[in-house]
Amino acid sequence: MPNAVGTMIAESDLKDLGVHTEMYVDAFVDIYNAGRITGAKKNYDRFRQSFAFGAGTQKLYDFVDDNPQVASYPVDYTNHPSQVAKLDNFISINNAIEVDLFGQVCSETVGTRHISGTGGQLDFVQGAYDSRGGKSIICLSSSFGKGDKVQSRIKPILTPGSIVTDPRTATHILVTEYGKANMKGKNTWERAEALINIAHPDFRDELVKEAENMGIWRKSNKL
């Protein structure tokens, strides 16, 4: 996902972007070469791209080698939510495995089967949420699987045993190919409605039914 989003940013008309991230990937090199990154508006580390570690192709390693425009810092510097929040208009973009109708995000497991660790996701979710003008964005496809085994990533409750990576109190904006749902300031019923609106259409009726059974759907709700 980082490289996919980065490619779109490189091809956009955005300018004067700054970089402060846990993982530095090839896409940042492409964005810089496209003239989108200057770091001129960062509150600190101006004109410098800050990261904890790099993971990519030789292109990335050649770019960061002896380059004064980038800096690798300890993870407690790049990831601490209060440090992230000091950067105005900070946008964090993360991936997820599934989300429930309360807005809880799982990015680590499918049930009890581990796929990843927590990493810095919650740090950047909270830091972006607290940043002045900031936004935390969680991206996920609305469904996964093939044929008659397709499943929704938006579920009434998380798969039993799944780990909550981001609590509902920190979740801000969720995005699928069907749109975005802003959780900020929404009550339980509004959250369920917004999330069902970005679920795969094949699963929306079922999600409404489950929400009704859970008591988090009102007759006034509309799709």
Side-chain angles (χ1 to χ4, degrees):
M1 188 196 70
N3 285 315
V5 173
T7 298
M8 290 188 289
I9 293 174
E11 296 172 353
S12 73
D13 59 355
L14 296 172
K15 59 182 179 180
D16 285 332
L17 298 178
V19 175
H20 183 97
T21 184
E22 178 181 30
M23 182 171 70
Y24 197 84
V25 297
D26 283 10
F28 288 116
V29 180
D30 297 333
I31 298 170
Y32 176 83
N33 289 335
R36 308 299 172 206
I37 295 173
T38 65
K41 297 186 178 181
K42 293 178 72 175
N43 298 71
Y44 59 89
D45 290 337
R46 291 186 71 204
F47 307 112
R48 178 169 289 174
Q49 301 181 58
S50 315
F51 63 95
F53 68 94
T57 66
Q58 191 61 44
K59 173 176 68 175
L60 180 148
Y61 303 117
D62 289 342
F63 179 79
V64 301
D65 182 40
D66 200 26
N67 185 346
Q69 297 183 72
V70 300
S72 178
Y73 290 102
V75 73
D76 58 352
Y77 178 87
T78 58
N79 288 32
H80 200 289
S82 64
Q83 188 75 8
V84 174
K86 292 175 184 177
L87 291 163
D88 294 342
N89 304 306
F90 191 93
I91 307 296
S92 72
I93 303 175
N94 287 284
N95 209 337
I97 295 171
E98 61 182 35
V99 178
D100 70 15
L101 292 180
F102 297 100
Q104 298 183 113
V105 176
C106 170
S107 302
E108 302 174 52
T109 66
V110 176
T112 57
R113 182 169 67 89
H114 276 72
I115 294 175
S116 178
T118 303
Q121 179 167 134
L122 181 56
D123 299 325
F124 282 89
V125 164
Q126 190 63 60
Y129 195 94
D130 293 338
S131 162
R132 183 171 62 178
K135 294 179 177 66
S136 164
I137 301 171
I138 300 292
C139 302
L140 69 163
S141 58
S142 65
S143 62
F144 66 98
K146 296 180 179 180
D148 58 357
K149 295 184 178 181
V150 175
Q151 299 182 52
S152 177
R153 290 194 186 274
I154 296 176
K155 302 187 174 185
I157 61 173
L158 297 179
T159 301
S162 292
I163 292 172
V164 177
T165 306
D166 308 319
R168 64 176 186 163
T169 51
T171 307
H172 191 179
I173 298 171
L174 291 140
V175 177
T176 72
E177 68 270 33
Y178 292 101
K180 65 179 180 179
N182 189 340
M183 300 287 99
K184 198 167 189 177
K186 284 185 168 57
N187 60 35
T188 302
W189 296 273
E190 291 171 333
R191 284 167 173 256
E193 180 182 23
L195 287 165
I196 292 172
N197 271 319
I198 64 170
H200 192 287
D202 291 350
F203 297 100
R204 291 180 188 176
D205 289 343
E206 180 183 344
L207 287 169
V208 169
K209 182 178 179 180
E210 290 294 331
E212 288 176 336
N213 292 336
M214 293 163 61
I216 57 172
W217 186 266
R218 289 179 169 177
K219 290 182 180 180
S220 60
N221 282 15
K222 296 180 180 179
L223 286 176

